[in-house]
Amino acid sequence: VLSATGRHRERPAAMASEEPDAGEPDVHSLIAAAGDAAGIAEVQAGGGQVAAAEAAARAVVKAAEEHGVLLAELHEVIGLSAARSAMQAVSVEDPTLTISEIARCLSPDSMAQLKGETLRRTDRSDRITPNELKKIFRQIGLDLNDDAWPQVFQELERDSTGRISYTEFVDALERAEEECRQCGIAAAMAAGTTLGQSALQAGHGLREAADCAAGAALRAAAEFGMVPADAAALGGRAASKLASEQSLDRVQVADAAAEAAGIHAMRAAVEADLTLEQVADEAAIAASAAAEEAGSTAQHVAEVSARAAGVAAGELAAEAGNTAMKSAEIAAKAATKSAAASGLPPYQAVEPTATAAARSATRAALNGGHPYLIVAEITRQLNSQLVENLKEVHQNQPDRVAVGELK
């Protein structure tokens, strides 16, 4: 429906005009189809946004199990399927479907510009023709496909004059924008909690499950045009739900959820070409939302936010080719800034600042190709049970192993 510049995300799949692949569908397409079918069936049975998104998410997980696909590979499939199903529930009784699609594509800046035009038109007639509306859109860098304009006017035209109320058009966009936001929340929470719980049930660790939950939720939320921090915050909320659903330790869940949310926010912010400071801020916001959802204290929320900000800034610096020392310095500054903004006393900011600096220095060193630090990084991620498993796997085997065998 819409092509635009300066948006936070790509055009939704439902509006893409790519030619379908004539070959056999891949496994992920089959899994997505199973999710979409379950979502549609739920809508036809009278289910709303939440029920449709949850049905789609469950079907995706079930189909993935049948096809032998790893849960960690399902972020995109489950997120998109939940999003499509939630939107399907909305569109059943939506008399302004085209306007809803437009609203789903608009960035906050674009919406603000359209509202600003409403104020400028107060001294003139509020009635507007298709060509006039098209001109307004193009002036702010937006361009509707030609076949969408008649649909917009059909949905809003109250008489046969060929004109609609511009104010009414913007009001309809605002209503659709809020509807899309609620839809995005429903889809994100359904996709995230379903995948996270499935990961725990499959025997994955808490951090892996939190990463699955956050990744799936962020992908679903991003489909509705949410900015990185908001989308990742929903990912953190979904990961935090693992505490109540599985009766896990809330502090551990908060740490895992905040870390996952911060990392995914960092990735999304980088894709949106934000500055280093903005990336750190987005990560801190997402981590804070995750910790709050898990019921953390104000102090703990401030600590995980500072850690997330520091890690995001430091790892971004490391990826940019900075030395270990410089990356650690950038991480420490970002963590300290976040801690100060949260009112965290300096002595309580030491741990998150040090953690962020250490992780960033390690990342920079690894990028520099230091082999012993790679071994150290592996060691840092192992726990005692995994070490015992490694010993048992290679009992009574030759001491020399090839790369393939080690993998």
Side-chain angles (χ1 to χ4, degrees):
V1 170
L2 185 73
S3 60
T5 57
R7 297 206 313 269
H8 288 288
R9 62 189 191 86
E10 298 298 325
R11 180 184 299 186
M15 289 180 277
S17 57
E18 298 174 357
E19 292 296 324
D21 187 358
E24 290 293 323
D26 61 22
V27 173
H28 287 86
S29 296
L30 294 173
I31 293 172
D36 292 349
I40 291 172
E42 181 63 35
V43 172
Q44 292 174 340
Q49 301 173 23
V50 176
E54 289 177 344
R58 289 193 300 268
V60 165
V61 171
K62 182 179 179 182
E65 291 174 353
E66 293 172 351
H67 289 284
V69 174
L70 298 175
L71 294 175
E73 298 177 15
L74 295 181
H75 291 184
E76 176 136 348
V77 176
I78 197 170
L80 290 177
S81 187
R84 285 193 292 266
S85 298
M87 201 65 196
Q88 183 73 22
V90 171
S91 65
V92 169
E93 298 180 355
D94 189 354
T96 57
L97 184 57
T98 306
I99 292 175
S100 295
E101 286 289 331
I102 296 171
R104 193 155 69 102
C105 294
L106 291 176
S107 69
D109 286 343
S110 296
M111 181 64 82
Q113 287 177 292
L114 287 172
K115 291 177 184 176
E117 179 63 23
T118 305
L119 297 176
R120 286 192 292 272
R121 298 187 66 84
T122 54
D123 296 333
R124 291 176 282 168
S125 172
D126 186 51
R127 309 295 288 177
I128 192 169
T129 65
N131 284 336
E132 289 173 318
L133 188 57
K134 186 186 297 187
K135 184 178 179 181
I136 291 171
F137 266 63
R138 286 179 175 170
Q139 283 175 345
I140 64 173
L142 303 172
D143 191 16
L144 280 176
N145 292 339
D146 288 340
D147 58 355
W149 293 105
Q151 297 173 35
V152 170
F153 274 71
Q154 184 179 355
E155 291 172 0
L156 289 180
E157 191 175 11
R158 299 288 178 258
D159 47 35
S160 301
T161 63
R163 293 172 176 267
I164 62 171
S165 163
Y166 183 78
T167 302
E168 186 178 346
F169 169 70
V170 174
D171 287 345
L173 276 179
E174 287 190 285
R175 289 194 300 272
E177 183 183 37
E178 176 58 23
E179 194 171 60
C180 285
R181 193 182 75 84
Q182 294 299 328
C183 209
I185 292 173
M189 297 305 290
T193 54
T194 300
L195 192 60
Q197 290 164 16
S198 298
L200 283 179
Q201 291 166 5
H204 292 283
L206 179 55
R207 292 186 182 280
E208 293 168 307
D211 184 75
C212 283
L218 185 145
R219 186 63 190 85
E223 184 64 8
F224 292 87
M226 293 189 183
V227 297
D230 291 345
L234 280 173
R237 286 179 55 193
S240 296
K241 291 291 184 185
L242 299 176
S244 58
E245 298 293 339
Q246 300 293 333
S247 300
L248 299 171
D249 181 85
R250 285 191 172 275
V251 174
Q252 291 180 344
V253 170
D255 284 340
E259 180 176 343
I263 289 172
H264 283 283
M266 175 184 70
R267 292 172 183 166
V270 169
E271 289 178 5
D273 293 326
L274 301 186
T275 66
L276 187 144
E277 284 191 2
Q278 290 173 321
V279 169
D281 289 343
E282 300 278 288
I285 291 170
S288 175
E292 288 174 353
E293 184 71 24
S296 295
T297 63
Q299 177 184 330
H300 191 225
V301 170
E303 288 173 351
V304 297
S305 298
R307 187 184 306 125
V311 168
E315 294 207 356
L316 191 59
E319 292 299 322
N322 285 286
T323 64
M325 181 70 75
K326 186 63 177 177
S327 297
E329 179 184 336
I330 291 172
K333 285 182 177 178
T336 302
K337 178 183 175 183
S338 175
S342 301
L344 195 66
Y347 69 91
Q348 291 178 348
V350 170
E351 189 278 330
T353 301
T355 300
R359 281 188 54 169
S360 302
T362 301
R363 174 60 57 198
L366 291 175
N367 290 347
H370 297 280
Y372 294 112
L373 282 172
I374 294 175
V375 175
E377 174 69 5
I378 295 171
T379 304
R380 189 174 68 84
Q381 296 187 33
L382 292 175
N383 58 38
S384 57
Q385 183 58 54
L386 288 173
V387 173
E388 291 302 316
N389 292 345
L390 284 172
K391 292 178 180 177
E392 292 176 9
V393 165
H394 210 65
Q395 278 184 349
N396 303 319
Q397 299 294 322
D399 187 53
R400 307 291 291 181
V401 294
V403 173
E405 293 174 299
L406 186 58
K407 288 180 181 178

